[in-house]
Amino acid sequence: MRFPYGPAALSMLILSIISGVWLAFNPVPPKKATLVMWTFAKTHYDAYKQAIPSFEARHPGVKVDLQLVSWQAVTSRLQAAFLSDLDVPDLVEVEISAAGSFFRGPLKDVGFLDLTDRIKQSGLYDRMVQARFAPYTSRGRIFGLPHDVHPVMIAYRRDIFDQLGIDPNEIQTWDDFIRIGRKVTIPGKRYMLELPDSESSRFEPLLYQRGGGLFDPQGNCTMDNEIAVQTMLFYVPLVAGPNRIASDLGGGQIFTRAVEDGYFLCMIAPDWRSKTIEVDVPKMRGKMALMPLPAVYPGGRRTSTWGGTMIGITKSCKYPDLAWELALHLYLNKDDLAQRFRDTNILPALKEAWDHPAYDEPRPYWSNQPLGRLYAQLAPDVPFQYTSPFVGTAKGKLSEALVACVQYYKQNGDKGFEEFVRKRLKQSADEVRRLMRRNPY
């Protein structure tokens, strides 16, 4: 007797029956942990593995299942789990550029617990850098506790600065930086600054430094306002045209070689990237140093911010008070934070933690500068960075605008450049706004 729907359908039916029988005799074991937590960063995972035993010891019978999950999986799997009401972790760390995507729709439908009252009543809103709550806030409600500050400085080749007679203390503004950069840049051989001309990762910190951003506190797209226009007019001549002082070669071994050879004299360096440079360019130990970001105008802000992480508690968590205690245990212990700083160079958002001696320790790689104190002194002035569920789209459209402006400038120089910048940024912003209007979520 032949199966009426063909051999393929028969095979699928047989596999389904076998799978069902196997699952019947091998059921998925129930969760043994009291709390399940996801993090996407290996450095965080290693640090939390050290910190969790003391939390469990203070809570007899409590077990925490810490899982290292890829950045993409946190974003895609968690969003899918929220939408389909599947099994989700109790606590999750989310990268800043993805956080806004979890705040779609009515506030009651956000998959994370509203932590606003806990943060305000505990005094944490004043004890942590307030600007760092902004990326994890939607419509006035806070859904995440900030892990870090990520203030931005300039990392530079101190030995070459000395050889060239450059005094970093005389670089107070971007005008100072550009004037010196044009003297020492040798096209094709040496550039004052590492900056890309094809994506907006370094453009964004410079936009934030000026008080701009992709969105305002109400979630309106602002990437074509006057601050964005002025930032683009400033940025493009740095990376394009006959007087450019910046270049970009990508990462990995090429970046290592470029720093060792003095091809790049300076790099945009948030705290986390200072550790990346230490690891990727070890031969430059004792030859590097840090200085504040040049100000846009005399007396202006000398830093910005790049990157970030939040921890949130999901609404499906059965023990939200216990989860909140775990979040505080991981984010507020000053001794643990000090050791993590030594391991990662990442400055925590908890301001009182910066009193620890670890932040004043001289770092031989950075010419014995007290790296922690340098970043901590700038941290209170990091700009607010607002987000939206459409932040990913906005970043892509901003990069497209940057590429178009660079191409125009290469072909036409200053002629008609400002008009083109205004038109191109508005085009990108309008595309984001159009998508926001069409999508109610």
Short mmCIF file of all heavy atoms in Angstrom, two decimals, residues 37-79:
data_model
loop_
_atom_site.label_atom_id
_atom_site.label_comp_id
_atom_site.label_asym_id
_atom_site.label_seq_id
_atom_site.Cartn_x
_atom_site.Cartn_y
_atom_site.Cartn_z
N MET A 37 20.47 33.88 34.39
CA MET A 37 20.95 35.18 33.90
C MET A 37 21.76 34.99 32.63
O MET A 37 22.58 34.10 32.53
CB MET A 37 21.82 35.87 34.97
CG MET A 37 22.44 37.17 34.51
SD MET A 37 23.39 37.98 35.82
CE MET A 37 24.29 39.20 34.82
N TRP A 38 21.51 35.88 31.65
CA TRP A 38 22.29 35.89 30.40
C TRP A 38 23.21 37.10 30.40
O TRP A 38 22.82 38.20 30.79
CB TRP A 38 21.36 36.03 29.19
CG TRP A 38 20.58 34.83 28.83
CD1 TRP A 38 20.55 33.63 29.47
CD2 TRP A 38 19.68 34.72 27.72
NE1 TRP A 38 19.69 32.78 28.83
CE2 TRP A 38 19.14 33.41 27.75
CE3 TRP A 38 19.27 35.58 26.71
CZ2 TRP A 38 18.21 32.97 26.82
CZ3 TRP A 38 18.34 35.15 25.76
CH2 TRP A 38 17.83 33.85 25.83
N THR A 39 24.43 36.88 29.92
CA THR A 39 25.31 38.00 29.59
C THR A 39 25.97 37.68 28.26
O THR A 39 26.15 36.51 27.92
CB THR A 39 26.36 38.25 30.67
OG1 THR A 39 27.16 39.40 30.31
CG2 THR A 39 27.29 37.06 30.84
N PHE A 40 26.32 38.70 27.51
CA PHE A 40 26.90 38.49 26.17
C PHE A 40 28.42 38.71 26.16
O PHE A 40 29.09 38.42 25.18
CB PHE A 40 26.25 39.45 25.15
CG PHE A 40 26.51 40.90 25.44
CD1 PHE A 40 27.60 41.54 24.92
CD2 PHE A 40 25.67 41.61 26.28
CE1 PHE A 40 27.86 42.88 25.20
CE2 PHE A 40 25.90 42.94 26.56
CZ PHE A 40 27.00 43.57 26.04
N ALA A 41 28.96 39.27 27.27
CA ALA A 41 30.38 39.63 27.30
C ALA A 41 31.16 38.60 28.11
O ALA A 41 30.85 38.35 29.27
CB ALA A 41 30.56 41.02 27.90
N LYS A 42 32.20 38.04 27.49
CA LYS A 42 33.02 37.03 28.18
C LYS A 42 33.66 37.61 29.44
O LYS A 42 33.76 36.93 30.47
CB LYS A 42 34.10 36.52 27.22
CG LYS A 42 35.02 35.46 27.81
CD LYS A 42 34.28 34.17 28.10
CE LYS A 42 35.22 33.00 28.32
NZ LYS A 42 36.19 33.20 29.39
N THR A 43 34.12 38.86 29.38
CA THR A 43 34.75 39.47 30.55
C THR A 43 33.75 39.61 31.69
O THR A 43 34.10 39.42 32.86
CB THR A 43 35.33 40.85 30.19
OG1 THR A 43 34.31 41.65 29.57
CG2 THR A 43 36.52 40.73 29.27
N HIS A 44 32.49 39.96 31.37
CA HIS A 44 31.46 40.04 32.41
C HIS A 44 31.20 38.64 32.98
O HIS A 44 31.07 38.46 34.19
CB HIS A 44 30.15 40.60 31.83
CG HIS A 44 30.27 41.99 31.30
ND1 HIS A 44 29.18 42.75 30.93
CD2 HIS A 44 31.35 42.78 31.06
CE1 HIS A 44 29.58 43.91 30.50
NE2 HIS A 44 30.90 43.96 30.55
N TYR A 45 31.09 37.67 32.09
CA TYR A 45 30.80 36.29 32.50
C TYR A 45 31.87 35.81 33.49
O TYR A 45 31.54 35.27 34.56
CB TYR A 45 30.76 35.39 31.27
CG TYR A 45 30.56 33.92 31.57
CD1 TYR A 45 29.27 33.42 31.78
CD2 TYR A 45 31.64 33.05 31.63
CE1 TYR A 45 29.09 32.06 32.06
CE2 TYR A 45 31.47 31.71 31.90
CZ TYR A 45 30.18 31.22 32.11
OH TYR A 45 30.01 29.88 32.38
N ASP A 46 33.13 36.03 33.17
CA ASP A 46 34.21 35.58 34.04
C ASP A 46 34.14 36.28 35.40
O ASP A 46 34.37 35.65 36.45
CB ASP A 46 35.57 35.85 33.38
CG ASP A 46 35.80 34.98 32.16
OD1 ASP A 46 35.14 33.93 32.04
OD2 ASP A 46 36.63 35.36 31.30
N ALA A 47 33.84 37.57 35.39
CA ALA A 47 33.77 38.32 36.66
C ALA A 47 32.58 37.86 37.50
O ALA A 47 32.70 37.69 38.72
CB ALA A 47 33.65 39.82 36.36
N TYR A 48 31.45 37.63 36.86
CA TYR A 48 30.24 37.24 37.61
C TYR A 48 30.38 35.82 38.17
O TYR A 48 29.81 35.50 39.22
CB TYR A 48 29.00 37.36 36.72
CG TYR A 48 28.75 38.76 36.20
CD1 TYR A 48 27.95 38.97 35.08
CD2 TYR A 48 29.31 39.87 36.83
CE1 TYR A 48 27.72 40.26 34.60
CE2 TYR A 48 29.09 41.14 36.36
CZ TYR A 48 28.30 41.33 35.23
OH TYR A 48 28.08 42.59 34.76
N LYS A 49 31.12 34.97 37.47
CA LYS A 49 31.34 33.61 38.00
C LYS A 49 32.06 33.68 39.35
O LYS A 49 31.86 32.83 40.22
CB LYS A 49 32.17 32.79 37.00
CG LYS A 49 31.42 32.40 35.72
CD LYS A 49 30.33 31.39 35.99
CE LYS A 49 30.88 30.00 36.18
NZ LYS A 49 29.78 29.01 36.32
N GLN A 50 32.91 34.69 39.50
CA GLN A 50 33.62 34.87 40.76
C GLN A 50 32.72 35.47 41.84
O GLN A 50 32.90 35.21 43.03
CB GLN A 50 34.84 35.79 40.54
CG GLN A 50 35.85 35.27 39.52
CD GLN A 50 36.48 33.96 39.95
OE1 GLN A 50 36.81 33.79 41.13
NE2 GLN A 50 36.64 33.03 39.03
N ALA A 51 31.76 36.29 41.43
CA ALA A 51 30.94 37.03 42.39
C ALA A 51 29.69 36.26 42.85
O ALA A 51 29.19 36.49 43.96
CB ALA A 51 30.50 38.37 41.77
N ILE A 52 29.19 35.37 42.04
CA ILE A 52 27.92 34.70 42.35
C ILE A 52 27.99 33.78 43.57
O ILE A 52 27.04 33.72 44.35
CB ILE A 52 27.41 33.96 41.09
CG1 ILE A 52 26.81 34.99 40.12
CG2 ILE A 52 26.37 32.89 41.45
CD1 ILE A 52 26.39 34.42 38.78
N PRO A 53 29.10 33.04 43.82
CA PRO A 53 29.14 32.17 45.01
C PRO A 53 28.86 32.93 46.32
O PRO A 53 28.18 32.40 47.20
CB PRO A 53 30.55 31.60 44.97
CG PRO A 53 30.89 31.54 43.52
CD PRO A 53 30.29 32.79 42.94
N SER A 54 29.35 34.14 46.46
CA SER A 54 29.09 34.89 47.70
C SER A 54 27.61 35.29 47.78
O SER A 54 27.05 35.36 48.88
CB SER A 54 29.99 36.11 47.77
OG SER A 54 29.76 36.98 46.68
N PHE A 55 26.98 35.54 46.66
CA PHE A 55 25.53 35.84 46.66
C PHE A 55 24.75 34.60 47.08
O PHE A 55 23.82 34.69 47.91
CB PHE A 55 25.10 36.30 45.26
CG PHE A 55 23.62 36.56 45.14
CD1 PHE A 55 23.07 37.74 45.59
CD2 PHE A 55 22.79 35.59 44.57
CE1 PHE A 55 21.70 37.98 45.48
CE2 PHE A 55 21.42 35.81 44.46
CZ PHE A 55 20.87 37.01 44.91
N GLU A 56 25.11 33.45 46.51
CA GLU A 56 24.42 32.20 46.87
C GLU A 56 24.65 31.86 48.34
O GLU A 56 23.74 31.34 49.01
CB GLU A 56 24.91 31.07 45.97
CG GLU A 56 24.49 31.23 44.50
CD GLU A 56 25.06 30.16 43.61
OE1 GLU A 56 26.15 29.63 43.93
OE2 GLU A 56 24.44 29.85 42.58
N ALA A 57 25.83 32.16 48.87
CA ALA A 57 26.10 31.87 50.27
C ALA A 57 25.22 32.71 51.19
O ALA A 57 24.83 32.25 52.27
CB ALA A 57 27.58 32.13 50.56
N ARG A 58 24.91 33.93 50.76
CA ARG A 58 24.05 34.81 51.57
C ARG A 58 22.58 34.43 51.45
O ARG A 58 21.74 34.91 52.21
CB ARG A 58 24.23 36.26 51.12
CG ARG A 58 25.57 36.87 51.45
CD ARG A 58 25.44 38.35 51.79
NE ARG A 58 24.53 39.06 50.93
CZ ARG A 58 24.89 39.85 49.92
NH1 ARG A 58 26.18 39.98 49.64
NH2 ARG A 58 24.00 40.50 49.20
N HIS A 59 22.26 33.60 50.46
CA HIS A 59 20.87 33.17 50.23
C HIS A 59 20.85 31.63 50.13
O HIS A 59 20.82 31.09 49.02
CB HIS A 59 20.31 33.79 48.95
CG HIS A 59 20.28 35.30 48.99
ND1 HIS A 59 21.39 36.07 48.70
CD2 HIS A 59 19.29 36.16 49.30
CE1 HIS A 59 21.08 37.34 48.81
NE2 HIS A 59 19.81 37.43 49.18
N PRO A 60 20.87 30.95 51.27
CA PRO A 60 20.90 29.47 51.25
C PRO A 60 19.77 28.88 50.42
O PRO A 60 18.61 29.31 50.54
CB PRO A 60 20.75 29.11 52.73
CG PRO A 60 21.28 30.31 53.47
CD PRO A 60 20.88 31.49 52.64
N GLY A 61 20.13 27.93 49.58
CA GLY A 61 19.13 27.27 48.74
C GLY A 61 18.95 27.92 47.38
O GLY A 61 18.33 27.34 46.48
N VAL A 62 19.47 29.13 47.23
CA VAL A 62 19.34 29.84 45.95
C VAL A 62 20.47 29.42 45.01
O VAL A 62 21.64 29.38 45.41
CB VAL A 62 19.37 31.37 46.16
CG1 VAL A 62 19.51 32.10 44.83
CG2 VAL A 62 18.11 31.81 46.88
N LYS A 63 20.13 29.12 43.75
CA LYS A 63 21.11 28.78 42.73
C LYS A 63 20.95 29.72 41.54
O LYS A 63 19.83 29.97 41.09
CB LYS A 63 20.94 27.33 42.26
CG LYS A 63 21.27 26.29 43.32
CD LYS A 63 22.76 26.32 43.67
CE LYS A 63 23.09 25.29 44.74
NZ LYS A 63 24.50 25.39 45.17
N VAL A 64 22.07 30.25 41.07
CA VAL A 64 22.06 31.15 39.92
C VAL A 64 22.71 30.44 38.74
O VAL A 64 23.84 29.97 38.85
CB VAL A 64 22.81 32.46 40.22
CG1 VAL A 64 22.82 33.37 38.99
CG2 VAL A 64 22.18 33.17 41.41
N ASP A 65 22.00 30.38 37.64
CA ASP A 65 22.52 29.78 36.41
C ASP A 65 22.96 30.92 35.49
O ASP A 65 22.13 31.55 34.84
CB ASP A 65 21.43 28.93 35.75
CG ASP A 65 21.93 28.29 34.45
OD1 ASP A 65 23.14 28.36 34.18
OD2 ASP A 65 21.09 27.74 33.71
N LEU A 66 24.26 31.18 35.46
CA LEU A 66 24.80 32.24 34.61
C LEU A 66 25.16 31.66 33.25
O LEU A 66 25.88 30.67 33.18
CB LEU A 66 26.04 32.85 35.27
CG LEU A 66 26.77 33.93 34.46
CD1 LEU A 66 25.91 35.18 34.30
CD2 LEU A 66 28.11 34.27 35.13
N GLN A 67 24.65 32.27 32.19
CA GLN A 67 24.90 31.74 30.85
C GLN A 67 25.53 32.81 29.96
O GLN A 67 25.08 33.97 29.97
CB GLN A 67 23.58 31.27 30.21
CG GLN A 67 22.91 30.15 30.99
CD GLN A 67 21.60 29.70 30.33
OE1 GLN A 67 21.31 30.04 29.19
NE2 GLN A 67 20.81 28.94 31.07
N LEU A 68 26.56 32.41 29.22
CA LEU A 68 27.19 33.30 28.24
C LEU A 68 26.49 33.09 26.90
O LEU A 68 26.53 32.00 26.33
CB LEU A 68 28.68 32.99 28.11
CG LEU A 68 29.47 33.85 27.13
CD1 LEU A 68 29.48 35.32 27.56
CD2 LEU A 68 30.92 33.34 27.02
N VAL A 69 25.82 34.12 26.42
CA VAL A 69 25.03 34.03 25.19
C VAL A 69 25.53 35.10 24.22
O VAL A 69 25.86 36.22 24.64
CB VAL A 69 23.53 34.27 25.49
CG1 VAL A 69 22.69 34.14 24.23
CG2 VAL A 69 23.05 33.29 26.55
N SER A 70 25.62 34.76 22.95
CA SER A 70 26.16 35.72 21.98
C SER A 70 25.27 36.96 21.91
O SER A 70 24.07 36.92 22.18
CB SER A 70 26.26 35.08 20.60
OG SER A 70 24.98 34.96 20.01
N TRP A 71 25.91 38.08 21.51
CA TRP A 71 25.21 39.37 21.40
C TRP A 71 24.00 39.24 20.48
O TRP A 71 22.91 39.74 20.79
CB TRP A 71 26.19 40.41 20.86
CG TRP A 71 25.65 41.78 20.73
CD1 TRP A 71 25.70 42.76 21.68
CD2 TRP A 71 24.99 42.37 19.59
NE1 TRP A 71 25.11 43.91 21.21
CE2 TRP A 71 24.67 43.70 19.94
CE3 TRP A 71 24.64 41.91 18.33
CZ2 TRP A 71 24.02 44.55 19.05
CZ3 TRP A 71 23.99 42.75 17.46
CH2 TRP A 71 23.69 44.06 17.82
N GLN A 72 24.18 38.58 19.34
CA GLN A 72 23.07 38.43 18.40
C GLN A 72 21.96 37.59 19.01
O GLN A 72 20.77 37.86 18.80
CB GLN A 72 23.56 37.78 17.10
CG GLN A 72 24.49 38.66 16.27
CD GLN A 72 25.94 38.55 16.72
OE1 GLN A 72 26.25 37.86 17.69
NE2 GLN A 72 26.81 39.22 16.00
N ALA A 73 22.34 36.56 19.77
CA ALA A 73 21.33 35.69 20.36
C ALA A 73 20.53 36.43 21.43
O ALA A 73 19.31 36.24 21.55
CB ALA A 73 22.00 34.46 20.96
N VAL A 74 21.23 37.27 22.22
CA VAL A 74 20.50 38.04 23.23
C VAL A 74 19.41 38.87 22.55
O VAL A 74 18.27 38.93 23.01
CB VAL A 74 21.48 38.97 24.00
CG1 VAL A 74 20.69 39.98 24.83
CG2 VAL A 74 22.37 38.15 24.92
N THR A 75 19.78 39.49 21.43
CA THR A 75 18.83 40.36 20.74
C THR A 75 17.70 39.57 20.10
O THR A 75 16.52 39.83 20.36
CB THR A 75 19.57 41.19 19.67
OG1 THR A 75 20.62 41.91 20.31
CG2 THR A 75 18.61 42.16 19.01
N SER A 76 18.05 38.60 19.28
CA SER A 76 17.02 37.89 18.51
C SER A 76 16.23 36.91 19.37
O SER A 76 14.99 36.88 19.32
CB SER A 76 17.67 37.16 17.32
OG SER A 76 18.66 36.26 17.79
N ARG A 77 16.93 36.09 20.18
CA ARG A 77 16.23 35.07 20.97
C ARG A 77 15.35 35.71 22.04
O ARG A 77 14.23 35.26 22.28
CB ARG A 77 17.24 34.14 21.64
CG ARG A 77 17.84 33.10 20.71
CD ARG A 77 18.89 32.27 21.40
NE ARG A 77 18.44 31.65 22.63
CZ ARG A 77 19.25 30.98 23.46
NH1 ARG A 77 20.54 30.88 23.16
NH2 ARG A 77 18.79 30.46 24.56
N LEU A 78 15.85 36.76 22.66
CA LEU A 78 15.07 37.37 23.73
C LEU A 78 13.85 38.08 23.17
O LEU A 78 12.75 37.99 23.74
CB LEU A 78 15.94 38.36 24.52
CG LEU A 78 15.31 38.89 25.80
CD1 LEU A 78 14.97 37.75 26.76
CD2 LEU A 78 16.25 39.88 26.49
N GLN A 79 14.00 38.77 22.05
CA GLN A 79 12.84 39.43 21.46
C GLN A 79 11.79 38.40 21.05
O GLN A 79 10.59 38.60 21.28
CB GLN A 79 13.27 40.27 20.25
CG GLN A 79 13.99 41.55 20.66
CD GLN A 79 14.43 42.38 19.48
OE1 GLN A 79 14.63 41.84 18.38
NE2 GLN A 79 14.60 43.66 19.68
#
